[in-house]
């Protein structure tokens, strides 16, 4: 075991407070510089596929040898099957691949260069080979293959547990100065307070699609009752109690009232024309689009968002379920892309998938078990799309990328590299990057190149 | 009282609506005592929204006028400046012409008046003794506006003599004269030996309407000509023109086209909106038609003054209320009465001796029922102190139902916390470390000595030190970090320490016949020396010899960690944060940590003594609010306290777990071992620690507000509450406010808040809306969100 990785986790925790203070000091200087440049906006949107998405049946090799290896390893799970056709695509170098037919809605963006795939991404402490894994000669992440732990680890960007913050929250910490003193939340989760969006200074602000932050006690009928209540509430929340904690609490409620007004306007006169699917994920992404639409009102320059969809733990009856889940993801992603295009900022918003882990190549019955590395999708106008990044693994049971004989593939790209590529595009500098991804230095490449 | 003011509405020529540009607003003006601080907030609707701060135009201020930090923290000077009203401004860095400011009046340390004895006097000459704070030899007691002969007693008392008329109630105040002098809030002195109505109702006396000055050819009339409006209420006026084809009119208020915020506004179409406050004086006006400017008509508007909000009925329950906020899940009316009868020491003794509320074994219970019953128990158990402390311990030594999803994977753990809440921390650590629930959550179960491809699991070893006992950096006895010569913190341990502790804790498995058994939650983890690493271990200055069994190594490891000097300050700080205040003074932490180190009988880790030290400390028992004191309630604590204050409880079959999950506090299900929020989380853009603020964002705050509304308007089967004390008082606005004030604020509701409540209450029709309005607004206030 090496000491390096865990001690850097502790260094990170210890230095976190100092990093924030330094950020505050430099804010004024940075804002003066920024004020002279054009307004700038960027957003990162995570779609977390809860349960462990089967990457092997999301992106499938179509070259003769690769497809034969895939069919041999996957057995009964091999696509196409009666439920799921394949959508043909190709990498920039001509290698033929196919998407699961569930992704047909978003697949055209591949041809338009707005959608890319990153192969075999997962949680790692450092580059790891089959030989090293078998000999236990490198440090491995804790509790691989456990949902509860890997959902935390992948959101935290921390192979040993949570550390209390998520990597998007730390990214938001790092770019806090770009948002100046704007009071609007920076990090929004559509799934309750998420670890992913929690920084050392940044809070994970929640939004629930369809809930516009209206206070029930201010919307009773007739309005002669709630109107005086609303007036009194405004007075109560703004008068000077002289107590710092009290005023900080009142400030949160005042922000809520302001946000309520903005969301109501976003939902009515300024509503987006793009139609979203009525699925849960569709509603989440529409809510995110509504918030992005408010950027000029709120003055925010950088925001991160967390959306999620469950059901990917496909231990049995995988075929149709998986197709249907990917269909929901695909339709919601396409609508979201179209909404960003409608707003003229398709190249300012990058959307990507994450998951607990991948799944075994080898089926168990008509499902699959918990794996490790998995393929992921990145979408946006800033993405150098139509290509596959990272190293596509060898699909063979007991092969060079397998931990054992079941096709639990060792990731060839770490979540740190995946996240750092987006963090760099987002404006995180090299110094802050080591705090966002403490283990990034263990890997040879910190920018996978899929963003311009 | 019903104050009256008089406005004139006029019809006259030409007005234009003012345009309001976005500008900076700074909160909040007011008084500030010397050597005090106030966090100012700039609302900046500009992008970018950064500002620079100045005092009287001096960037950052200085020691004479006070200083202001980059983040708006104003610190007043040590002495009252010659010009004691200072202006603190925030100027946009991007748009230097845009700025906003507040004026702060620097005062002496404010004089306080807490009580008068006797509280009532017979008519005629009287002598009273006043009790308060910051009384000086220059202090003068006033009866109304009349100074009384005053004799200084001490900084907390004085006597005064005067004469009272029968049937009156005199408002007594204390003034400290001189530059930056202050006046205390008044306290009523009742005068007996006669009865009388203390609040005579004034008769509205409208100012006579001046006669319009019509010309024979052109006439103008306005309707209605006399009306009474509440502040901010509206009235549509209609003007009728005769004798000319030029029918255009414009409206003025008191001669001001379109009116203004002071006298009320009127639109070109005649819609008048009364000012928000009471106008200070009556005004006159004129009206004119466009064609013949001498022609006008006038209407009179009486603006009803704000309703009488009364003043606080006293803070006689403050000591009990504050104590019970810290020691329980919130005071109930019954508990306040009881506490006032027995006092702190007896109350604590009762609670320490009280039988533990049983936590039922899960049996066939499902996970949701475990959460429901937990909420029910917090709200209704008699052993409230145990509930509160066990809950605080559970936020330090964390397990979560997101991994331990079945009832038998959590309930026995709750029983351990409850059983040991007043026990010894070392005993608690022992039970936790061998609990199969924790063994699953942090992977100690089946952590074997290294062999071949697998090593000892380090998860529990790491969190045991980082979160449950000593933390990451060496601490002074007062909880502040030890700094080395370079000013840097000193790590408590390194990766080698974690590895050594992990080896020492190998060889524990679930109940069963094998050396590694499947999950089994029927009893503590069992030692299996076959899987225990028998080598010698060294960590944290302790040496474990080779050949020790799993049991001996476990004991030695926990003994070693427990004796680390960090444990006292580390655990004391967390418990104080959970019970009393987010920003305790180092001295407070040190006093409690000293009790952790030695309970007076040479015992280390006595939680009963620690809890008593926390709750009886002078810092905890200081009932005078301090600017940076208190802690934000967490969602469950906030809601349960409100329900208990209303004499109620959460039912054992409530549907609340899901609602709390949306407020970022799924019962018994923190997202990770770092719990729901970080202990050292800073309030955004502040220097203060406020852990609970990490899960208090606009959505969570609104959802809490909606749950308050549910509690008072639609409790359903989730809550049982008793609103009788409020409904019987609902007809009397002052009495209703007093009930709310006494119940939720123990007499501390500030006067402006009483006034806001009164205005909102009188606008409601019916008992239920009046009660709901009063309670709802109080519950939404930061003064209730924060335990201070």
């Amino acid at each position: 075991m090496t000491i390096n990785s865990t001690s850097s986790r502790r260094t990170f925790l210890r230095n976190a407070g100092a990093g924030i203070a330094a950020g505050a000091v430099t804010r004024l200087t940075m804002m003066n510089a920024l004020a002279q440049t054009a307004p700038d906006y960027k957003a990162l949107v995570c779609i977390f596929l809860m349960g462990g998405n089967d990457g092997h049946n999301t992106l499938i090799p179509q070259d003769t040898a690769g497809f034969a290896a895939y069919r041999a390893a996957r057995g009964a799970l091999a696509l196409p099957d009666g439920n799921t056709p394949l959508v043909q695509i190709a990498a920039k170098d001509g290698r033929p691949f196919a998407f699961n037919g569930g992704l047909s809605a978003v697949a055209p963006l591949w041809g338009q260069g707005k959608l890319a795939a990153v192969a075999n991404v997962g949680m790692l402490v450092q580059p790891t080979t089959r030989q090293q894994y078998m000999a236990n000669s490198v440090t491995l992440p804790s509790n691989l293959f456990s949902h509860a732990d890997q959902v935390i680890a992948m959101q935290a960007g921390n192979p040993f547990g949570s550390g209390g913050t998520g990597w998007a929250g730390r990214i938001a910490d790092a770019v806090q100065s770009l948002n100046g003193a704007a009071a609007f939340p920076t990090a929004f989760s559509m799934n309750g307070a998420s670890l992913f969006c929690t920084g050392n200074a940044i809070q994970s602000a929640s939004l629930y699609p369809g809930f516009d932050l209206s206070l029930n006690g201010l919307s009773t009928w007739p309005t002669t009752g709630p109107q005086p209540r609303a007036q009194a509430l405004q007075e109560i929340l703004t008068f000077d109690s002289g107590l710092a904690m009290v005023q900080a609490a009142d400030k949160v409620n005042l922000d809520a009232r302001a946000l309520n007004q903005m969301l109501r306007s976003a939902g009515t006169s300024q509503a987006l024309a793009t139609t979203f699917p009525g699925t849960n994920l569709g509603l989440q992404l529409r809510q995110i689009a509504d918030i992005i639409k408010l950027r000029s009102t709120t003055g925010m320059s950088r925001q991160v968002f967390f959306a999620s969809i469950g059901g990917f733990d496909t231990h049995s009856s995988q075929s149709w379920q998986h197709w249907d889940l990917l269909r929901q993801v695909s339709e919601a992603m396409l609508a979201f892309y179209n909404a960003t295009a409608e707003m003229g900022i398709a190249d300012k918003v990058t959307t990507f998938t994450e998951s607990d882990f991948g799944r075994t190549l080898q089926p168990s019955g008509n499902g699959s078990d918990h794996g490790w590395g998995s393929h992921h999708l990145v979408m946006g106008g800033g993405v150098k799309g139509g290509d596959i990044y990272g190293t596509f693994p060898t699909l063979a049971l007991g092969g060079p990328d397998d931990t054992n004989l079941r096709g639990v593939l060792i990731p060839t790209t770490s979540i740190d590299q995946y996240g750092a590529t987006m963090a760099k595009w987002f404006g995180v500098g090299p110094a802050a990057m080591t705090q966002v991804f403490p283990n990034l230095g263990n890997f040879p490449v910190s920018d996978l190149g899929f963003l311009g | 009282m019903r104050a009256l003011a008089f406005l004139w509405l006029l019809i006259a020529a030409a007005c234009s609506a003012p345009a309001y540009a976005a500008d900076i607003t700074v909160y909040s003006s007011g008084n500030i005592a010397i050597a005090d601080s106030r966090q100012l907030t700039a609302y900046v609707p500009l992008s970018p929204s950064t500002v620079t701060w100045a005092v009287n135009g001096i960037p950052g201020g200085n020691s004479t006028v006070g200083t202001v930090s980059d983040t708006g923290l104003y610190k007043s000077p040590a002495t009252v400046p010659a010009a004691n009203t200072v202006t603190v401004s925030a100027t946009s860095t991007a748009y230097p012409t845009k700025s906003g400011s507040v004026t702060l009046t620097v005062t002496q340390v404010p004089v306080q008046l807490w009580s008068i004895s006797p509280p009532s006097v017979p008519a005629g000459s009287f002598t009273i003794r006043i009790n308060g704070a910051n009384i000086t030899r220059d202090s003068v007691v006033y009866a109304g506006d009349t100074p009384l002969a005053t004799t200084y007693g001490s900084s907390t008392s004085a006597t005064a003599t005067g004469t009272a008329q029968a049937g009156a109630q005199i408002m007594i105040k204390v003034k400290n004269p001189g530059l930056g002098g202050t006046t205390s809030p008044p306290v009523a002195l009742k005068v007996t030996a006669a009865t009388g109505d203390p609040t005579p109702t004034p008769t509205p006396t409208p100012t006579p309407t001046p006669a319009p000055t019509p010309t024979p050819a052109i006439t103008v009339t306005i309707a209605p000509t006399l009306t009474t409006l509440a502040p901010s209420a509206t009235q549509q006026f209609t003007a009728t023109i005769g004798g000319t084809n030029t029918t255009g009119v414009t409206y003025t208020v008191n001669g001001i086209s379109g009116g203004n915020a002071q006298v009320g506004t009127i639109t070109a179409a005649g819609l008048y909106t009364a000012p928000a406050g009471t106008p200070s004086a009556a005004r006159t006006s004129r009206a004119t038609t466009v064609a013949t400017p001498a022609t006008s008509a006038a209407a009179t508007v009486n603006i009803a003054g704000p309703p009488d909000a009364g003043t606080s009925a006293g803070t006689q329950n403050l000591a009990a209320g504050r104590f019970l906020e810290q020691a329980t899940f919130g005071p109930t009316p019954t508990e306040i009465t009881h506490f006032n009868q027995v006092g702190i020491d007896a109350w604590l003794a009762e609670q320490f001796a009280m039988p533990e509320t049983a936590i039922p074994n899960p049996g066939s219970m499902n996970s949701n029922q475990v959460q429901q019953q937990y909420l029910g128990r917090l709200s209704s158990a008699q052993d409230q102190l145990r509930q509160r402390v066990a809950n605080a311990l559970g936020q330090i030594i964390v397990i979560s139902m997101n991994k331990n999803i079945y009832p038998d994977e959590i309930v026995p753990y709750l029983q351990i916390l409850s059983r040991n809440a007043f026990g010894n921390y070392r005993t608690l650590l022992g039970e936790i470390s061998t609990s199969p629930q924790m063994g699953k959550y942090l992977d100690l179960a089946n952590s074997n000595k290294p062999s071949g491809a697998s090593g000892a699991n380090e998860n529990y070893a790491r969190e045991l030190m980082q979160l449950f006992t000593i933390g990451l950096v060496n601490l002074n006895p007062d909880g502040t970090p030890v700094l080395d010569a370079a000013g840097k913190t000193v790590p408590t341990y390194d990766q080698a320490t974690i590895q050594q502790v992990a080896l020492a804790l190998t060889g524990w498995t679930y109940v069963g016949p094998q050396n590694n058994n499947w999950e089994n939650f029927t009893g503590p983890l069992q030692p299996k020396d076959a899987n225990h690493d028998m080598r010698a271990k060294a960590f944290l200055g302790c040496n474990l010899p080779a050949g020790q069994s799993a049991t001996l190594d476990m004991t030695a490891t926990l003994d070693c960690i427990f004796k680390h000097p960090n444990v006292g300050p580390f655990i004391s700080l967390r418990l104080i944060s959970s019970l009393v205040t987010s920003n305790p003074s180092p001295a407070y932490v040190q006093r409690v940590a000293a009790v952790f180190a030695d309970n007076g009988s040479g015992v280390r880790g006595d939680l009963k003594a620690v809890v008593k030290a926390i709750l009886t400390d002078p810092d905890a028992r200081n009932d005078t609010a301090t600017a940076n004191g208190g802690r934000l309630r967490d969602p469950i604590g906030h809601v349960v306290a409100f329900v208990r204050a209303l004499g109620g409880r959460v039912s054992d079959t409530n549907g609340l777990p899901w609602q709390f999950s949306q407020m970022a506090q799924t019962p018994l299900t923190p997202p990770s071992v770092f719990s729901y929020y970080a202990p050292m989380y800073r309030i955004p853009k502040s220097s203060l620690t406020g852990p609970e603020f990490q899960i208090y964002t606009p959505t969570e705050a609104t959802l809490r507000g909606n749950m308050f509304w549910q509690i008072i308007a639609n409790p359903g089967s989730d809550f049982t509450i008793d609103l009788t004390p409020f409904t019987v008082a609902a007809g009397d606005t002052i009495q209703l406010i007093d009930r709310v004030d006494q119940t939720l604020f123990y007499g501390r509701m500030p006067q402006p808040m009483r006034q806001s409540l009164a205005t909102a209450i009188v606008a409601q029709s019916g008992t239920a809306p009046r009660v709901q309005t009063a309670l709802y607004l109080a519950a939404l206030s930061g003064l209730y969100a924060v335990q201070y």
Side-chain angles (χ1 to χ4, degrees), chain B residues 208-410:
Chain B
T209 307
T213 52
T215 66
I218 301 173
T219 60
V220 53
T221 59
I222 183 168
T225 53
L226 177 63
T227 188
T228 300
L229 295 178
S232 303
T234 58
Q235 171 69 50
Q236 179 67 52
F237 286 95
T238 309
T240 308
I241 313 285
T244 174
N245 293 331
T246 310
T247 56
V249 294
T250 51
Y251 292 88
T252 68
V253 184
N254 288 10
I256 304 161
S257 293
N260 63 26
Q262 280 71 47
V263 298
T265 59
I266 192 161
T267 67
L271 181 68
Y272 173 77
T273 303
T278 309
S280 54
R283 291 168 174 82
T284 58
S285 58
R286 295 178 194 289
T288 318
T289 64
V290 173
T292 310
T295 304
S296 66
T300 303
V301 179
N302 295 335
I303 306 298
D308 189 351
T311 55
S312 169
T315 53
Q316 57 278 0
N317 289 324
L318 177 57
R322 280 193 68 252
F323 177 85
L324 293 170
E325 283 188 343
Q326 297 165 0
T328 73
F329 274 92
T332 63
T334 314
E335 202 68 53
I336 285 184
T337 305
H338 179 61
F339 180 90
N340 281 334
Q341 286 163 351
V342 303
I344 287 184
D345 289 345
W347 191 91
L348 283 172
E350 282 173 12
Q351 285 284 323
F352 286 138
M354 195 174 283
E356 195 189 335
T357 296
I359 301 174
N361 285 319
S364 59
M365 201 184 289
N366 64 41
S367 301
N368 196 44
Q369 286 172 302
V370 172
Q371 296 172 330
Q372 291 169 328
Q373 293 189 7
Y374 162 75
L375 294 172
R377 206 159 50 236
L378 299 185
S379 72
S380 66
Q382 291 302 302
D383 55 345
Q384 277 285 308
L385 180 60
R386 183 182 296 274
Q387 299 295 329
R388 184 74 191 259
V389 173
N391 196 65
L393 291 169
Q395 299 216 11
I396 300 170
I397 309 174
V398 173
I399 73 173
S400 172
M401 291 180 75
N402 66 5
K403 183 170 178 181
N404 292 30
I405 58 176
Y406 296 109
D408 64 353
E409 296 174 5
I410 183 94

Side-chain angles (χ1 to χ4, degrees), chain B residues 13-377:
Chain B
C15 76
S16 62
Y20 294 100
D23 213 335
I24 295 176
T25 313
V26 181
Y27 302 102
S28 299
S29 295
N31 291 349
I32 181 168
I34 51 174
D36 199 353
S37 66
R38 173 172 305 174
Q39 181 64 53
L40 301 174
T41 308
Y43 171 67
V44 188
L46 302 168
S47 179
S49 55
T50 43
V51 295
T52 55
W53 291 89
V55 185
N56 286 2
I58 306 162
N62 62 31
S63 62
T64 306
V65 296
T67 61
V68 65
S69 75
D70 288 348
T71 57
L73 181 69
Y74 174 75
K75 291 185 176 170
S76 54
T79 56
V80 179
N84 70 322
T85 299
V86 299
T87 302
V88 185
S89 58
T91 304
S92 165
T93 51
Y95 307 93
T97 59
K98 298 284 186 188
S99 68
S101 65
V102 288
T103 53
L104 294 172
T105 304
V106 181
T107 69
Q108 301 167 11
V109 180
V111 63
Q112 301 290 349
L113 172 55
W114 302 126
S115 63
I116 304 171
S117 97
S120 65
V121 294
S125 61
F126 65 82
T127 299
I128 54 173
R129 175 189 158 96
I130 58 138
N131 303 300
N134 304 321
I135 295 166
T136 70
R137 291 181 187 281
D138 295 331
S139 298
V140 179
V141 177
Y142 279 71
D145 296 326
T146 310
L148 303 180
T150 305
T151 308
Y152 173 76
S154 69
S155 67
T156 59
S157 71
T159 53
T161 56
T163 308
Q165 291 188 339
Q169 171 178 275
I170 309 174
M171 300 311 289
I172 302 292
K173 301 178 284 202
V174 190
K175 288 190 184 182
N176 280 3
L179 182 61
T182 61
T183 303
S184 74
V187 170
L189 175 65
K190 290 202 169 56
V191 183
T192 57
T195 57
D197 180 358
T199 53
T201 305
T203 307
T205 51
T207 296
T209 307
T213 52
T215 66
I218 301 173
T219 60
V220 53
T221 59
I222 183 168
T225 53
L226 177 63
T227 188
T228 300
L229 295 178
S232 303
T234 58
Q235 171 69 50
Q236 179 67 52
F237 286 95
T238 309
T240 308
I241 313 285
T244 174
N245 293 331
T246 310
T247 56
V249 294
T250 51
Y251 292 88
T252 68
V253 184
N254 288 10
I256 304 161
S257 293
N260 63 26
Q262 280 71 47
V263 298
T265 59
I266 192 161
T267 67
L271 181 68
Y272 173 77
T273 303
T278 309
S280 54
R283 291 168 174 82
T284 58
S285 58
R286 295 178 194 289
T288 318
T289 64
V290 173
T292 310
T295 304
S296 66
T300 303
V301 179
N302 295 335
I303 306 298
D308 189 351
T311 55
S312 169
T315 53
Q316 57 278 0
N317 289 324
L318 177 57
R322 280 193 68 252
F323 177 85
L324 293 170
E325 283 188 343
Q326 297 165 0
T328 73
F329 274 92
T332 63
T334 314
E335 202 68 53
I336 285 184
T337 305
H338 179 61
F339 180 90
N340 281 334
Q341 286 163 351
V342 303
I344 287 184
D345 289 345
W347 191 91
L348 283 172
E350 282 173 12
Q351 285 284 323
F352 286 138
M354 195 174 283
E356 195 189 335
T357 296
I359 301 174
N361 285 319
S364 59
M365 201 184 289
N366 64 41
S367 301
N368 196 44
Q369 286 172 302
V370 172
Q371 296 172 330
Q372 291 169 328
Q373 293 189 7
Y374 162 75
L375 294 172
R377 206 159 50 236

Side-chain angles (χ1 to χ4, degrees), chain A residues 6 9-10 31 136 143 149 152 160 162 181-182 198 201 203 206 208 216-217 225 229 235 240 244-245 250 253, chain B residues 38 48-50 403 443 453 462 493 495 583 627 662 672 674 681 689 693-694 699-700 706 756 764 773 776 782:
Chain A
T6 314
R9 170 200 194 233
R10 288 174 53 256
M31 286 315 299
N136 196 29
N143 298 316
D149 296 286
I152 288 171
F160 305 110
S162 89
T198 301
Q203 295 164 295
S206 305
Y208 301 102
N216 292 343
R229 276 200 288 273
E235 294 166 9
D240 184 357
M245 288 279 181
D250 283 336
N253 266 306
Chain B
R38 173 172 305 174
S49 55
T50 43
K403 183 170 178 181
D443 311 295
R462 182 173 48 242
Y493 58 85
Q495 177 62 15
N583 294 277
Q662 295 214 308
S672 77
F674 286 75
Y681 181 77
T689 298
F693 277 93
Q694 195 171 16
T699 291
E700 283 89 354
N706 285 347
S756 297
Q764 309 296 318
T773 296
Y776 183 57

Side-chain angles (χ1 to χ4, degrees), chain B residues 500-545:
Chain B
Q500 289 289 294
V501 172
L503 292 175
L505 299 182
T506 52
W508 293 82
T509 186
Y510 298 102
V511 169
Q514 309 297 323
N515 286 331
N516 285 126
N517 296 303
W518 293 107
E519 288 183 359
N520 180 321
F521 299 98
T522 57
L525 299 181
Q526 308 294 308
K528 301 288 182 182
D529 287 342
N531 283 332
H532 179 61
D533 190 300
M534 290 285 180
R535 291 174 289 176
K537 296 102 189 167
F539 51 85
L540 298 175
C542 303
N543 289 290
L544 278 54

